[in-house]
Amino acid sequence: MRILLIVFAPVIGGLIVGFERIIRARMQRRIGPPLFQPFYDFLKLADKRKMMVHSSHAFLGLMHFISLWFALAVLLLGGDLILVIFLHLLSTSLLILAGFSTRSVFSHLGANRTAISVLAYEPVLIVIAVSIFMLTGSFTAASVFSYPAPLLFKMPLAFIALLLILPIKMKKSPFDVADAHQEITGGVELEFSGIFYEAVFTAKWLDYIFCYTLVYLFAGSNVTLGIALIGFVFFFTNALDNSTARVNYKQMLRFSLAVSFSLAFVNLIINILL
């Protein structure tokens, strides 16, 4: 089952994005695109002429996609959470390097903002991983699934912290500063085209699966609770995306470190004391 989920992760991620577009449209009282619109976009982009800024830029884009898929595979196979966080950081770093490797001002701005986004959510993920270690005695995701009780009941503050950083990771308002189309026309994605843009485009679908897998960890072996948590997070992030205005990167970083990191850290202290 996990192998199938890894293999078909891009397809499942594309379906989630398609469903998300429908839900967001309904929230705005619009009909919205069909469920398979992300795949229609994928095929349309495949027909575009391939243009490279330079070979390193294209290579970094492809490696961003491959390394993110590998990080997701390690997570789904129950691997070490610290390793997963490191691999995910490596994947994002490749995209940042690609952004800085061009001469586009917008690409540089996007790379800067993506780096700041990493500073906003990665420390929270590390503290959550340490909290899991204090609770289960292991850093592996497999230990979470074998833990007798859902982590949600033992780490409620950590779940709220994760909930608050997911809009940053998924580039949703009010924290979609990294690829704000109205300001920097997509940021680091701007200089990609053709099949190389496909890689960055599809990596977003993988990121969705990655984020929802992190949410599922809080349910442990309780499948029903896991589905309920994913459904709740799905509607929460999209309602937030539809109802809030974008903040600037300073406000995003300040909020994440002051609120999300504090909540995760307090939960860690509680786990240590208990």
Side-chain angles (χ1 to χ4, degrees):
M1 180 65 182
R2 291 181 186 179
I3 299 297
L4 289 176
L5 188 54
I6 292 168
V7 172
F8 291 104
V11 178
I12 298 169
L15 290 172
I16 293 174
V17 171
F19 184 61
E20 179 185 274
R21 287 183 182 180
I22 294 172
I23 295 298
R24 289 175 60 187
R26 295 293 190 273
M27 288 178 178
Q28 298 166 2
R29 298 186 177 181
R30 295 187 290 110
I31 296 176
L35 178 64
F36 297 106
Q37 186 61 46
F39 301 101
Y40 301 149
D41 294 340
F42 182 92
L43 294 174
K44 181 184 70 177
L45 290 168
D47 282 339
K48 297 288 184 183
R49 187 172 59 169
K50 301 176 184 64
M51 295 180 65
M52 285 194 298
V53 176
H54 52 76
S55 57
S56 300
H57 180 255
F59 176 75
L60 288 168
L62 290 173
M63 288 307 297
H64 164 65
F65 170 76
I66 293 171
S67 56
L68 183 56
W69 203 348
F70 184 67
L72 177 62
V74 174
L75 177 61
L76 288 172
L77 291 173
D80 191 294
L81 290 173
I82 296 296
L83 175 62
V84 169
I85 293 171
F86 171 77
L87 290 172
H88 188 271
L89 176 61
L90 173 65
S91 170
T92 309
S93 300
L94 294 172
L95 191 61
I96 293 171
L97 285 175
F100 280 126
S101 71
T102 70
R103 295 182 178 180
S104 166
V105 174
F106 292 125
S107 189
H108 286 196
L109 281 172
N112 273 321
R113 292 186 180 191
T114 303
I116 292 170
S117 297
V118 170
L119 290 176
Y121 64 74
E122 288 288 348
V124 179
L125 292 179
I126 291 172
V127 172
I128 291 174
V130 175
S131 294
I132 290 174
F133 172 78
M134 297 306 300
L135 202 62
T136 65
S138 172
F139 278 113
T140 63
S143 67
V144 176
F145 295 120
S146 60
Y147 194 69
L151 294 186
L152 179 65
F153 305 137
K154 300 284 185 179
M155 301 169 51
L157 296 180
F159 179 75
I160 296 172
L162 177 67
L163 187 64
L164 295 177
I165 62 168
L166 284 182
I168 304 174
K169 186 73 199 78
M170 300 166 83
K171 297 177 181 175
K172 291 186 176 299
S173 188
F175 301 132
D176 56 336
V177 297
D179 68 348
H181 283 275
Q182 299 89 340
E183 297 176 37
I184 55 176
T185 60
V188 291
E189 305 169 6
L190 180 62
E191 296 297 324
F192 287 102
S193 65
I195 191 171
F196 307 111
Y197 181 72
E198 295 275 20
V200 179
F201 182 70
T202 313
K204 289 184 177 179
W205 302 354
L206 291 176
D207 235 354
Y208 271 51
I209 303 295
F210 184 87
C211 291
Y212 287 123
T213 304
L214 292 179
V215 171
Y216 189 87
L217 285 180
F218 281 83
S221 58
N222 190 328
V223 177
T224 305
L225 179 60
I227 294 172
L229 286 178
I230 289 174
F232 168 72
V233 171
F234 177 85
F235 284 102
F236 172 79
T237 52
N238 283 289
L240 192 69
D241 190 35
N242 263 350
S243 60
T244 56
R246 183 182 305 124
V247 300
N248 62 46
Y249 67 91
K250 292 180 182 176
Q251 292 170 321
M252 177 192 69
L253 185 60
R254 194 181 304 126
F255 175 83
S256 180
L257 295 180
V259 180
S260 304
F261 183 81
S262 298
L263 285 171
F265 190 74
V266 169
N267 205 133
L268 172 62
I269 297 299
I270 293 172
N271 287 143
I272 292 173
L273 294 177
L274 295 180

